[in-house]
């Protein structure tokens, strides 16, 4: 299966349309201002002029590229002159900065021209170049503009002239170029890029690692003096930080830097797709299962630790100190889509949905111009989204994901049409060699009621694969002539029939608020519950409760009421019953047991993604169970 081209599908629901309009009107214009004001864009001007000092972090070029990619996607939603102008400016600056041999990285061009490709593990040259390629492919495919694609091809050819079989053994510490080379190969039809990507994926984890030589090179280490601290344990190189600990087929669990891991496995999944490489697919499934069954927050956040921006141990999921970088959840969504395409199993779509509606979306404010880097599941009032970061990987990453959301809701494959996420959309595509229009009308994620309309010129026989969400306990279907699916396949209800030109399928997934518990091995959450409704995880904020949610204990037997709040227009809230300690009367540090008074309270919960939009205040996802 494969996603539809972005030009062939439009999101029409009120939920995601709002985010996509915000992307065009607020998010991208304000990000462009940040790219200019922080010197990211002028680094390219300086590189073109071969004069001036590099400003910022050594991988800042990647923010420009991800921004360009996001603009390309966004302009398939609708025309926006301001965004088109920003994109055009960026493309021109990038073109001008590229060196004649195809190399482009403004940090090295301006400050270290003699040190190119010397510290692959930490200096992100191929990582930045990978984002250049992704942008080049996006601008070409979405807008028919090949200027950035040509820059990308020259860069990729330069990389291929230095690295590869019979040349230098080397691959980037921060994976990204592998998946980008696969995209470039798909678009250009040039197998060289695919072969290079495969070689990079399969070389990683071999011994001796090329990074071991870098650690012995004082000049290479001087580029990033902290290199050794993340790569060496007890005097030995270990490689986990960069997934360089073992060859891909021997991987059993996710380790190291979370974003690096996600990008690596995206490329590996793409390489496994369409082949019968069972060992590679098995390794990917092992790592995915380890991640989603033992190392993922209920919000789809991943990578609990700030110290390595990544993974620690199974079931180590602290709430208050959760790192759960926005980029890591974006990466989980990207990888989940590839695994879904590889296996056809709805479990991957379940995780994509969980991350999208929770851990990804919490990374951006409802106003579209403030961001979280870390996405904790508890706050004592010290967290606050900001307009930008010194290390600003997350804002353009979430922008490119929101711009390309349409890729995640549906797929097509020969005589099959898949609906993965039943959000409102309309599309024009070809199924079973016939043109077909399909429209989904829904109020997702606020309601599980969905209407699917078929717009066909003539009757067409094809299979509709409708994902049964993991949270759906009672799915009801109204389809004249066939109330039951023909079959169930990998978590999808399959309707195999000759569809009439104006058939209508009505579905009710039975969305109801429910409490969930964590596996007791997650010690942090013992005696605690989290509230969910359909794809959304809910959370309690002090501004709704009138007291810190840490004081609240939920009565999980009480009725849960669906409502709204004027502070968050358009959102559904859930009001639950419970108890709260009264803290005002108690002055002793250790009073005797039973002396702290409690009162019965109602508590309004809001969707997790929407927290922290009414000022900094205390928040808790996993509340105590009364
Ligand atoms: Zn990030």
């Amino acid at each position: 299966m494969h996603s539809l081209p972005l030009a062939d599908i439009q999101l029409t629901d009120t939920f995601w349309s709002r985010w996509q309009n915000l992307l065009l009107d607020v998010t991208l214009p304000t990000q462009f201002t940040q790219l200019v004001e922080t010197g990211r864009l002028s680094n390219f001007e300086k590189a073109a002029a071969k004069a001036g000092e590099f400003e910022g972090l050594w991988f800042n070029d990647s923010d420009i590229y991800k921004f360009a990619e996001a603009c390309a996607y966004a302009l398939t939603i609708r025309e926006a002159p301001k965004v088109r102008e920003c994109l055009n400016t960026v493309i021109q600056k990038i073109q001008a900065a590229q060196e004649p041999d195809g190399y482009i990285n403004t940090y090295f061009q301006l400050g270290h021209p003699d040190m190119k490709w010397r510290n692959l593990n930490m200096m992100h040259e191929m990582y930045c170049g990978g984002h250049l390629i992704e942008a080049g492919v996006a601008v070409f495919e979405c807008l028919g503009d090949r200027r950035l694609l040509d820059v990308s091809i020259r860069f990729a050819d330069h990389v291929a002239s230095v690295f590869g079989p019979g040349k230098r053994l080397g691959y980037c510490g921060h994976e990204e170029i592998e998946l980008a080379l696969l995209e470039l190969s798909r678009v250009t039809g040039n197998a060289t890029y695919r072969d290079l990507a495969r070689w990079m994926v399969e070389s990683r984890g071999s011994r001796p690692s090329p990074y071991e030589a870098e650690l012995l090179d004082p000049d290479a280490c001087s580029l990033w003096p902290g290199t050794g601290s993340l790569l060496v344990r007890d005097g030995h190189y270990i490689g986990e930080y960069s997934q360089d600990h073992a060859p891909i087929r021997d991987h059993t669990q996710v380790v190291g830097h979370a974003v690096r891991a996600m990008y690596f496995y995206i490329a590996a999944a793409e390489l496994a797709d369409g082949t019968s490489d069972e060992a590679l697919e098995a390794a990917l499934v092992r790592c995915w299962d380890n991640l989603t069954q033992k190392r993922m927050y209920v919000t789809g956040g991943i990578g609990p630790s700030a110290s390595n921006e990544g993974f620690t141990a199974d079931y180590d999921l602290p709430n208050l100190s959760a790192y759960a970088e926005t980029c890591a959840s974006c990466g989980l969504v990207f990888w989940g889509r590839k695994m879904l395409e590889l296996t056809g199993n709805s479990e991957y779509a379940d995780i994509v949905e969980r991350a999208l509606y929770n851990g990804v979306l919490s990374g951006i404010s409802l106003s579209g111009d403030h961001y979280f880097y870390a996405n904790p599941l508890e706050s004592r009032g010290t967290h606050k989204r900001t307009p930008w970061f010194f290390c600003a990987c997350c804002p353009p990453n979430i922008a490119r994901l929101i711009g390309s959301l349409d890729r995640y809701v549906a797929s097509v494959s020969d005589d099959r049409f898949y609906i993965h996420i039943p959000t409102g959309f309309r599309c024009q595509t070809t199924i079973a060699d016939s043109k077909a229009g399909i429209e989904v009308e829904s109020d997702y994620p606020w309601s599980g009621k969905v209407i699917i309309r078929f717009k066909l010129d003539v009757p067409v026989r094809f299979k509709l694969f409708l994902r049964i969400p993991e949270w759906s306990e009672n799915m009801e279907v109204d389809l004249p002539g066939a109330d039951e699916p023909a079959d169930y396949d990998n978590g999808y209800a399959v309707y195999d029939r000759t569809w009439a030109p104006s058939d209508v399928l009505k579905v009710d997934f039975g969305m109801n608020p429910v409490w969930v518990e964590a596996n007791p091995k997650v010690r942090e959450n013992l005696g605690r519950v989290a509230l969910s409704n359909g794809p959304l995880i809910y959370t309690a904020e002090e501004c709704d409760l009138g007291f810190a949610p840490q004081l609240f204990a939920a009565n999980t037997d009480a009725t849960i009421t669906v409502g709204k709040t004027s502070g968050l227009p358009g959102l559904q809230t859930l009001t639950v019953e419970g108890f709260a300690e009264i803290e005002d009367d108690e002055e002793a540090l250790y009073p005797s047991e039973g002396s702290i008074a409690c009162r019965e309270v109602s508590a309004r919960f809001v969707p997790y993604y929407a927290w922290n939009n009414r000022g900094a205040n205390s928040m808790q996802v996993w509340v105590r169970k009364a």
Side-chain angles (χ1 to χ4, degrees):
M1 73 173 82
H2 59 86
S3 302
L4 283 71
L6 293 180
D8 294 348
I9 178 169
Q10 296 85 40
L11 299 186
T12 56
D13 69 328
T14 55
F15 188 84
W16 288 119
S17 298
R18 180 190 170 280
W19 287 104
Q20 292 198 325
N21 281 312
L22 208 55
L23 178 71
L24 284 153
D25 297 335
V26 177
T27 305
L28 291 171
T30 51
Q31 288 194 1
F32 183 75
T33 302
Q34 295 288 352
L35 294 171
V36 171
E37 291 182 350
T38 58
R40 284 168 167 82
L41 196 58
S42 60
N43 283 334
F44 285 85
E45 294 168 5
K46 293 173 193 169
K50 298 184 175 59
E53 202 166 315
F54 180 87
E55 189 177 346
L57 287 164
W58 60 97
F59 47 80
N60 275 1
D61 288 3
S62 62
D63 299 330
I64 294 282
Y65 301 141
K66 279 192 285 187
F67 172 80
E69 184 186 347
C71 289
Y73 299 148
L75 288 167
T76 66
I77 299 165
R78 64 172 160 81
E79 186 51 52
K82 171 71 179 165
V83 172
R84 196 170 281 271
E85 185 188 324
C86 293
L87 175 59
N88 192 45
T89 302
V90 163
I91 292 173
Q92 288 173 348
K93 306 284 184 202
I94 296 169
Q95 282 182 303
Q98 188 168 36
E99 295 188 341
D101 67 357
Y103 184 89
I104 181 166
N105 184 292
T106 67
Y107 176 79
F108 283 92
Q109 286 171 262
L110 288 168
H112 305 274
D114 301 326
M115 292 296 289
K116 294 171 184 170
W117 309 125
R118 285 285 291 275
N119 184 334
L120 297 180
N121 202 344
M122 298 308 292
M123 297 314 292
H124 293 61
E125 288 157 282
M126 289 189 219
Y127 164 84
C128 290
H131 280 302
L132 163 67
I133 294 169
E134 280 205 281
V137 168
V139 172
F140 175 67
E141 288 202 312
C142 295
L143 308 175
D145 178 340
R146 59 172 301 135
R147 287 176 293 169
L148 218 44
L149 185 67
D150 288 336
V151 175
S152 305
I153 290 169
R154 284 193 291 274
F155 177 79
D157 289 344
H158 176 69
V159 172
S161 74
V162 178
F163 300 95
K167 300 168 196 160
R168 183 176 156 194
L169 174 65
Y171 38 87
C172 194
H174 197 315
E175 299 92 328
E176 159 64 24
I177 196 168
E178 299 87 349
L179 71 90
L181 287 169
L182 292 169
E183 287 288 290
L184 189 63
S185 177
R186 178 180 60 75
V187 170
T188 61
N190 186 341
T192 305
Y193 307 131
R194 187 177 180 87
D195 293 343
L196 183 59
R198 177 178 290 280
W199 175 82
M200 286 180 175
V201 167
E202 298 194 339
S203 298
R204 188 174 288 265
S206 59
R207 292 293 181 269
S209 165
Y211 303 143
E212 292 178 78
E214 289 179 5
L215 286 167
L216 298 172
D217 176 352
D219 293 335
C221 290
S222 72
L223 287 166
W224 199 83
T227 295
S229 63
L230 288 161
L231 311 178
V232 176
R233 190 184 297 152
D234 300 330
H236 298 287
Y237 173 75
I238 46 171
E240 287 188 352
Y241 181 68
S242 309
Q243 297 72 47
D244 189 41
H245 55 296
I248 173 73
R249 289 177 182 76
D250 297 334
H251 286 204
T252 56
Q253 56 186 13
V254 288
V255 298
H257 188 283
V259 181
R260 292 178 182 223
M262 295 303 100
Y263 290 4
F264 181 51
Y265 293 133
I266 292 165
E270 181 69 26
L271 285 168
D273 203 2
T275 69
S276 51
D277 193 336
E278 291 174 10
L280 183 55
E281 184 172 338
L284 288 163
V285 170
R286 273 198 306 276
C287 291
W288 178 274
D289 289 349
N290 170 253
L291 172 60
T292 59
Q293 294 169 19
K294 294 176 180 173
R295 298 189 174 203
M296 181 184 74
Y297 287 99
V298 73
T299 55
I302 58 169
S305 168
S307 66
N308 65 344
E309 297 193 291
F311 301 108
T312 53
D314 290 349
Y315 306 107
D316 177 34
L317 295 165
N319 294 314
L320 184 61
S321 64
Y323 197 63
E325 184 183 339
T326 301
C327 282
S329 284
C330 291
L332 177 61
V333 169
F334 303 149
W335 183 26
R337 182 167 77 94
K338 291 291 177 195
M339 293 301 288
L340 178 61
E341 290 177 351
L342 176 63
T343 65
N345 192 318
S346 76
E347 288 174 21
Y348 299 99
D350 286 331
I351 300 294
V352 166
E353 178 179 271
R354 179 182 293 272
L356 265 182
Y357 282 90
N358 300 287
V360 167
L361 208 45
S362 62
I364 184 168
S365 66
L366 295 175
S367 58
D369 57 356
H370 284 63
Y371 307 91
F372 271 142
Y373 197 106
N375 294 274
L377 282 77
E378 180 183 358
S379 176
R380 307 271 167 90
T382 57
H383 298 88
K384 195 171 181 298
R385 290 189 188 85
T386 60
W388 198 245
F389 307 101
F390 185 57
C391 170
C393 49
C394 299
N397 221 353
I398 197 166
R400 68 185 183 135
L401 180 48
I402 289 175
S404 59
L405 275 170
D406 315 48
R407 287 177 171 170
Y408 301 87
V409 302
S411 301
V412 66
S413 168
D414 300 328
D415 65 341
R416 298 174 170 195
F417 187 82
Y418 290 82
I419 297 178
H420 308 301
I421 300 178
T423 187
F425 70 86
R426 65 166 175 265
C427 71
Q428 285 291 331
T429 187
T430 300
I431 314 172
D433 297 324
S434 296
K435 286 198 183 323
I438 294 175
E439 294 181 9
V440 174
E441 185 183 322
S442 83
D443 196 20
Y444 212 66
W446 313 117
S447 161
K449 292 188 170 69
V450 177
I451 300 173
I452 303 164
R453 301 180 199 279
F454 300 86
K455 310 280 183 181
L456 311 170
D457 296 332
V458 294
V460 182
R461 170 123 199 195
F462 66 89
K463 295 173 186 150
L464 176 72
F465 279 62
L466 181 63
R467 170 177 151 257
I468 306 168
E470 59 177 336
W471 49 263
S472 175
E473 291 181 355
N474 183 26
M475 177 174 147
E476 292 181 6
V477 174
D478 177 7
L479 177 63
D483 285 344
E484 289 295 321
D487 199 359
Y488 292 93
D489 183 358
N490 271 326
Y492 289 81
V494 184
Y495 298 88
D496 180 3
R497 64 187 233 148
T498 301
W499 298 87
S502 53
D503 266 350
V504 177
L505 169 62
K506 294 179 181 172
V507 187
D508 186 348
F509 289 109
M511 189 186 291
N512 292 302
V514 289
W515 292 103
V516 296
E517 293 185 323
N519 185 302
K521 293 191 180 81
V522 184
R523 300 288 194 251
E524 177 95 359
N525 294 337
L526 282 169
R528 296 181 180 277
V529 285
L531 186 59
S532 70
N533 192 20
L536 294 173
I537 300 298
Y538 276 70
T539 193
E541 282 194 276
E542 185 168 2
C543 59
D544 288 303
L545 274 54
F547 53 86
Q550 286 81 0
L551 295 166
F552 180 70
N555 175 359
T556 54
D557 296 327
T559 304
I560 302 169
T561 313
V562 178
K564 294 185 183 307
T565 174
S566 58
L568 298 170
L571 276 64
Q572 266 181 18
T573 62
L574 298 174
T575 299
V576 306
E577 307 302 319
F579 306 88
E581 278 91 352
I582 300 170
E583 58 181 345
D584 298 345
D585 296 333
E586 184 53 64
E587 289 182 357
L589 185 55
Y590 300 110
S592 58
E593 192 274 332
S595 61
I596 298 174
C598 279
R599 61 187 165 115
E600 287 189 35
V601 293
S602 296
R604 183 167 59 210
F605 281 53
V606 299
Y608 171 75
Y609 78 81
W611 89 277
N612 202 265
N613 277 284
R614 295 164 291 174
N617 71 149
S618 292
M619 176 277 290
Q620 194 162 38
V621 171
W622 289 98
V623 296
R624 289 179 299 151
K625 187 176 173 182

